[in-house]
Amino acid sequence: MPEDQLPSGGERPLDAIDEAILRLLRNDGRASVRSVAERVHISRANAYARINRLVESQVIRGFTARIDHERAGQGTCAYVTLKIVQDSWRTVREQLARLPGAAHIALVSGDFDVLLLVHTSDNRQLRELVLTRIQAIPEVLSTRTLLVFEETDLLPEP
């Protein structure tokens, strides 16, 4: 059996070096393989192989930039909670994913079914998004909008 796989066919568990690589790349997705190797004290070939394995096994789902939404003209941020028709999650998720400014969608338990994070240019655009676009989705039974006053990304320590 390949050493990359567990007997159940699942992926090999992450070790301390893999976790250190993930922390480094989460803080700086543009870090070079050489830099990663030096900082976790392994060879470049080992770092390259580990990063490729993490990408191929979809532990790393991609590389992206962290955006300052206010500076990008999206100064209004809100969480929108939705109650939806039972068994309509996949349909609703597809429609929400196409909304301008949608940043994160989660199916949750509790008093509501869906939690949606959105970024818009201002409150007027937020109002339009919620009242015209989201509430027009037939499977959406109700919404509640929670305006975000300030947000902080929590990143691992370098």
Side-chain angles (χ1 to χ4, degrees), residues 11 22 51-62:
E11 295 298 321
L22 292 175
I51 292 169
N52 278 344
R53 180 177 45 78
L54 292 167
V55 170
E56 288 170 6
S57 64
Q58 296 181 345
V59 171
I60 295 176
R61 297 182 301 174

